[in-house]
Structures are given as structure tokens and as C-alpha cells.
Amino acid sequence: MAVELDVGHALLLRPGEGETITDRAGRTVRILLAHDLLDVTWSRYEPGEQGPDPHVHREHVDSFFVLEGELVFGLGPQVDEVRAPAGTFVSVPQNVVHTFRNGGDHTAFFLNFHSPSGGFAESLRGRREGFDSFDPPGDGGRPAADVIVSPPGEGDRFVREDRVNLTKVELPELSAFQLSVDPAWKGIGAHEHDDHVDAFFVLDGEAGFLAGDKVLRAAAGSFFAAPPGTLHGIRNLPGRRIVFLNVHAPDAGFAESVRRR
């Protein structure tokens, strides 16, 4: 069962939790977070499962992180194919034509981030018409080269004494980091942001997420989100290596602060 924390309405979802929108043979889609600044979904696509037709967004960035398996993206005016195996982060800026599918032989699991929301979660729920999604423009839109594709293990690497931080994407609307921490890492003390959502997905290990005086264990596959004004932090409870995906929406200068630390 999802845990909504008392302080600032932070949200912790453990593996398999979330608001299920679709659950059929070919795919499962769950909403993890619906917020004006950031919508997050978790999806399962079976081999051959096709995503949306080629389209563009005019007002928000559409991003993906492949957890397992592989997605094949079609990008730009020619819908050029780009393969994205597990560990790849893809960010599609406004007015770039895009689509995707599971073109591999294995089940694909992935996270999808819309920043800002653009009404994505509400459109999935069937509560909103006019979601920020449009047919490809007559001129083909922006080039495929404008899409950020960060393959597994790649990104701006910042090595510290007890952790390694890979910047996967840095855009005004969203920044994303893959953070690997050693057993000696003590965590992040309680703090809050007044201008962006701070969200985490545990990729490996187990962490303790803080909100107020509560500490909740979160295994791999868990999702934690702290909207603006939410007191939150992290503890390395088991004292072992943990790997997170950390997303800030909007970036609000966070990527620059990582470089300075």
C-alpha cells in the first residue's frame, strides 16, 4: 500500500504500487506521481508492443529511463530509430517528433517523466481533453539531434569520496542523475526545496527515506517523491551500496550545484 507521509504530503510507493491505468497482456501502466511540475509513470511493455504514434509536445519535455529490456525510439522528422537498452535516459524536448516501442525479444520496463505535467496523468485518467500532444508539424519539427540520449554508464561523472554521481540529463524543465553510494555514505540530511519536485527511484539496494520524524525502508523498485515545501532526506540504513535515479523538476539550478560539490 502506498504511504503518504504527513509532512508536505511526500509519497513513497513500494515495488508494484501506484495507480494502475492499464493492465493487459501487452502492457501495464501505473501512475507514480501526478503533480503540476512532474508526472511520472511506470510501464511494462511486452515484445512487439507499440507505443503512441509519432507526435510532438509543444510545452513540456518527455523523458524516459529504461529499467530492464530495451526500447526503440523513432525521433525527428525522419523518425530515425535509436535503440535504448536498460540504463539509458532519453529526453525529448518540445517540438521534436517521437514515438517508441518494444522492438526486442524481452519484456521492457521503463519510467516516463513529463515535465511539467502538460496534463499527461489527467489524460490517462480520462479526466482531461486537450493534453499537450499534437501530430507532427508540416515542417517536420526540430531535428533528432536535439534529443538527449544518455546510454548506460554515461553522463557527466562526478566522483566523491563515498559516491559517484552521473548527470544523465540537464534541461531547464528536468535534470536527472544516477547516484551510486558506498556503504560509508551517511545519506542526505532533512531539507526542503521551495521551487521543484525531488523524486527518487531505487535501482539497487535499500534506503531509508526521511520525512519529519519518519524513516521508511525502501527496497529496489521503490519510488519516493517530495513536492515543493516537503521536508525530506535519505539514510543509508543497511550500510551497503545503493543506486538511485534522482530527478529534479524543474532543474532549478540543482545540476549546477552538483558540479560545485
Side-chain angles (χ1 to χ4, degrees):
M1 181 177 179
V3 177
E4 187 174 286
L5 305 176
D6 294 336
V7 180
H9 305 291
L11 180 70
L12 174 64
L13 298 174
R14 295 191 172 90
E17 295 181 339
E19 181 183 347
T20 300
I21 297 297
T22 301
D23 193 12
R24 54 180 173 79
R27 73 172 74 176
T28 301
V29 179
R30 297 190 186 109
I31 296 174
L32 302 185
L33 176 68
H35 190 280
D36 287 346
L37 296 176
L38 178 67
D39 286 344
V40 184
T41 57
W42 174 98
S43 295
R44 168 191 61 87
Y45 270 36
E46 295 301 325
E49 186 71 4
Q50 184 73 42
D53 291 337
H55 62 286
V56 299
H57 305 300
R58 296 174 181 170
E59 298 178 354
H60 75 276
V61 174
D62 194 0
S63 301
F64 303 79
F65 183 77
V66 183
L67 296 166
E68 296 182 35
E70 181 181 74
L71 293 179
V72 178
F73 288 86
L75 303 171
Q78 305 304 316
V79 197
D80 301 326
E81 286 201 350
V82 174
R83 306 192 78 87
T88 302
F89 202 103
V90 176
S91 279
V92 184
Q94 298 88 340
N95 297 309
V96 178
V97 174
H98 59 289
T99 183
F100 62 91
R101 70 182 194 279
N102 181 353
D105 298 326
H106 303 283
T107 304
F109 299 93
F110 60 95
L111 302 173
N112 185 201
F113 307 89
H114 289 254
S115 55
S117 161
F120 179 66
E122 287 298 277
S123 71
L124 289 179
R125 292 166 171 158
R127 299 177 185 170
R128 170 172 173 162
E129 296 182 1
F131 165 55
D132 177 34
S133 183
F134 302 90
D135 291 337
D139 63 2
R142 293 168 61 179
D146 287 351
V147 176
I148 298 173
V149 179
S150 181
E154 294 189 15
D156 290 338
R157 183 180 296 267
F158 300 94
V159 180
R160 304 295 185 252
E161 182 178 355
D162 54 2
R163 64 196 184 278
V164 176
N165 201 334
L166 279 180
T167 301
K168 302 297 285 180
V169 171
E170 181 182 352
L171 291 170
E173 298 84 356
L174 173 142
S175 56
F177 312 87
Q178 188 167 324
L179 178 62
S180 302
V181 303
D182 295 336
W185 186 70
K186 298 187 183 305
I188 300 171
H191 65 288
E192 62 183 61
H193 309 289
D194 61 6
D195 53 4
H196 69 273
V197 174
D198 193 2
F200 299 82
F201 191 90
V202 183
L203 299 172
D204 190 26
E206 184 182 43
F209 286 103
L210 290 164
D213 59 355
K214 297 183 178 181
V215 181
L216 294 174
R217 290 181 180 270
S222 298
F223 174 79
F224 177 85
T230 303
L231 192 66
H232 64 286
I234 309 175
R235 287 184 183 171
N236 187 1
L237 292 177
R240 60 188 183 192
R241 184 174 180 268
I242 313 172
V243 183
F244 303 98
L245 183 70
N246 180 209
V247 170
H248 293 252
D251 169 63
F254 188 81
E256 177 60 29
S257 74
V258 170
R259 282 191 286 271
R260 294 196 305 264
R261 291 176 185 174

